[in-house]
Amino acid sequence: MPRVSSRNGHRPQPFASVEEVTSRLGDVGYLADRALATTVFLQARLGKPLLLEGPAGVGKTQLAKALAAATGRPLLRLQCYEGQDETKALYEWDYGKQMLYTQILREKIAQIVADADDLAGAVEAIGAHDSVFFSERFLAERPLLRAIRSPEPVVLLVDEVDRADEALEAVLLEMLAEYQVSVPELGTFTAEHVPLVVLTSNNTRDLSAALKRRCLHLFLGYPSAERELEIIRSKSTGLPDAVSGHLVDVVRGLREQGLRKPPGISEAIDWARTLALLGATEPDAGLLEDTISVVAKYDRDVERALRVLPALAEGERPAPAPEPGGADSADDPGTGAALRAARDTPGRHGAGYYGERTGSPAEPRRVSGSQGERSFVANHGRRTR
Ligand SMILES: Nc1ncnc2c1ncn2[C@@H]1O[C@H](COP(=O)(O)OP(=O)(O)OP(=O)(O)O)[C@@H](O)[C@H]1O
Ligand SMILES: [Mg+2]
């Protein structure tokens, strides 16, 4: 298969054609439609990040994982959340390790300050050795810097970027503009291999026009009935085709009912597995009702869903209900916060999903002055690796 060289001339492009994108993603279990495959192809060719926006559970995150699997590249993931600061995205100095070294080396340090007459002199003497402690040995890379410094090409997933504060969005923007990160104490690191970058957003807040401009932008909506059936089939749920087809129609009908959390592809797959476990061999309204909690996660959604299920199970299409969050909707103010809360179903993410996140929302971490200001493409010694 013909491959075109990458910008540094050493690495082949990951995909030779749109068709190859479709087939290689298909090989790793991700069924992409033409629009998505074309965008991925262009992304790889143009070296641009891909910004995927769309409702929950339509395969945004999964695309990045599939891209990594299809190209054999490691996946680096930055999970965004409110209050996250750049030290968790870029790098921080490994304070614990620095302390450990100073403890172990205290005799040596004592020698360094031994000749100092006063405190200022001692500080000066220690200061002359700053570079030892702010060196690569003590640099704790976070996903963005790791992606830039990686000796091999990677896929970088910046997940749920709409949850990040605007300050972090600005950091991302700068990093994505040049694929460079500047660490004032060390210099500017430039990516040897442009990473395949996927940003996802559920649109809980508007992203800046600048970020959108920087990216190839694609709205990933719910798939067609045929594709959704294909996806369910590909997951070997054990549900007979006829029931799966029926299920897809029911799920699509539910999506029109203005639920607070409309079912995504993932819920459709879960529902198919559940029905298979319960031995469903034909469309059965009773079984659908009994298992509605698999797809409806809020009391009000369950109520609404149960109201329309009999009609949906009969193949009818009840009148669509208004979207939640209208101006007159008391329980759903329609703000980004409400949308986020709606998506935060318990167990949605496993333990450790948010990386080093400790509190909620996290207090911005303080970065000491000695660690220097983070700036990008600053006037520091340019460092290419
Ligand atoms: N095109 C697809 N091909 C195969 N499986 C898919 C596809 N789209 C979605 N899925 C399935 O749906 C699941 C949910 O997808 P994913 O977690 O990527 O959704 P998401 O859009 O990131 O949702 P959220 O906004 O809630 O994070 C995946 O684990 C995968 O099993
Ligand atoms: Mg996701």
Side-chain angles (χ1 to χ4, degrees):
M1 195 107 27
R3 298 274 165 90
V4 180
S5 299
S6 68
R7 79 169 185 177
N8 55 29
H10 306 304
R11 292 282 171 166
Q13 286 285 1
F15 303 109
S17 64
V18 175
E19 290 70 29
E20 194 189 327
V21 174
T22 310
S23 77
R24 289 188 40 203
L25 287 177
D27 290 346
V28 295
Y30 191 90
L31 308 184
D33 62 15
R34 182 88 193 164
L36 181 58
T38 305
T39 314
V40 167
F41 175 71
L42 292 174
Q43 167 199 19
R45 275 301 160 92
L46 300 173
K48 279 190 154 201
L50 169 59
L51 170 60
L52 285 178
E53 291 194 89
V58 292
K60 302 184 297 296
T61 303
Q62 191 64 28
L63 174 72
K65 295 181 185 172
L67 263 179
T71 56
R73 297 181 176 203
L75 176 70
L76 299 178
R77 180 177 191 155
L78 176 66
Q79 183 65 41
C80 300
Y81 54 85
E82 273 175 64
Q84 186 178 29
D85 76 308
E86 64 182 57
T87 58
K88 290 287 173 270
L90 281 170
Y91 69 91
E92 56 193 322
W93 293 106
D94 190 338
Y95 179 67
K97 194 168 169 187
Q98 286 169 331
M99 287 306 290
L100 183 69
Y101 273 62
T102 47
Q103 281 298 312
I104 294 169
L105 299 172
R106 57 183 176 277
E107 279 174 24
K108 189 78 202 156
I109 292 168
Q111 283 170 19
I112 291 171
V113 298
D115 294 337
D117 299 329
D118 53 13
L119 189 59
V123 169
E124 274 303 311
I126 289 283
H129 297 270
D130 258 3
S131 59
V132 174
F133 286 97
F134 293 99
S135 60
E136 290 193 35
R137 183 185 298 281
F138 297 103
L139 188 67
E141 291 177 343
R142 301 301 173 220
L144 299 186
L145 181 59
R146 197 170 297 147
I148 294 296
R149 295 201 349 136
S150 172
E152 56 181 329
V154 299
V155 174
L156 172 64
L157 166 63
V158 181
D159 212 12
E160 308 190 349
V161 66
D162 51 327
R163 288 181 166 236
D165 299 332
E166 279 158 29
L168 188 66
E169 194 181 315
V171 166
L172 266 172
L173 197 62
E174 298 215 38
M175 178 265 186
L176 295 175
E178 305 282 343
Y179 294 111
Q180 286 185 344
V181 170
S182 183
V183 179
E185 296 84 350
L186 298 177
T188 300
F189 294 99
T190 304
E192 191 178 332
H193 310 285
V194 172
L196 280 173
V197 184
V198 178
L199 300 102
T200 78
S201 164
N202 285 85
N203 232 346
T204 60
R205 75 168 172 84
D206 275 343
L207 301 172
S208 72
L211 186 66
K212 287 192 175 183
R213 212 172 34 243
R214 192 84 64 213
C215 301
L216 287 176
H217 181 245
L218 186 74
F219 183 85
L220 200 58
Y222 298 114
S224 66
E226 296 72 33
R227 182 161 303 276
E228 191 154 13
L229 180 56
E230 221 183 314
I231 293 172
I232 291 178
R233 265 200 212 119
S234 75
K235 303 291 174 188
S236 310
T237 60
L239 195 66
D241 261 10
V243 193
S244 298
H246 180 71
L247 186 73
V248 165
D249 291 338
V250 171
V251 169
R252 288 169 68 79
L254 283 177
R255 285 178 191 147
E256 293 170 356
Q257 292 308 311
L259 302 186
R260 187 172 169 186
K261 167 90 175 60
I265 302 175
S266 39
E267 280 84 6
I269 296 167
D270 286 347
W271 211 2
R273 289 204 174 108
T274 306
L275 294 176
L277 276 176
L278 294 174
T281 50
E282 54 187 37
D284 178 339
L287 265 186
L288 292 178
E289 285 175 12
D290 292 347
T291 53
I292 192 66
S293 58
V294 175
V295 285
K297 311 285 180 171
Y298 292 89
D299 279 354
R300 199 198 62 176
D301 284 0
V302 170
E303 244 171 65
R304 276 201 194 190
L306 287 177
R307 217 179 305 144
V308 293
L309 255 187
L312 287 173
E314 288 299 317
E316 294 164 21
R317 220 48 190 249
E323 291 287 316
D328 52 0
S329 165
D331 55 341
D332 274 312
T335 60
L339 282 163
R340 284 175 203 161
R343 295 178 52 247
D344 272 340
T345 50
R348 182 165 167 265
H349 302 309
Y353 185 81
Y354 287 101
E356 286 113 337
R357 181 185 185 184
T358 48
S360 93
E363 274 287 305
R365 274 178 70 98
R366 297 211 180 285
V367 181
S368 77
S370 65
Q371 291 176 21
E373 286 188 33
R374 309 278 148 88
S375 67
F376 298 85
V377 203
N379 298 326
H380 293 283
R382 192 185 167 95
R383 177 179 179 125
T384 39
R385 306 178 71 251

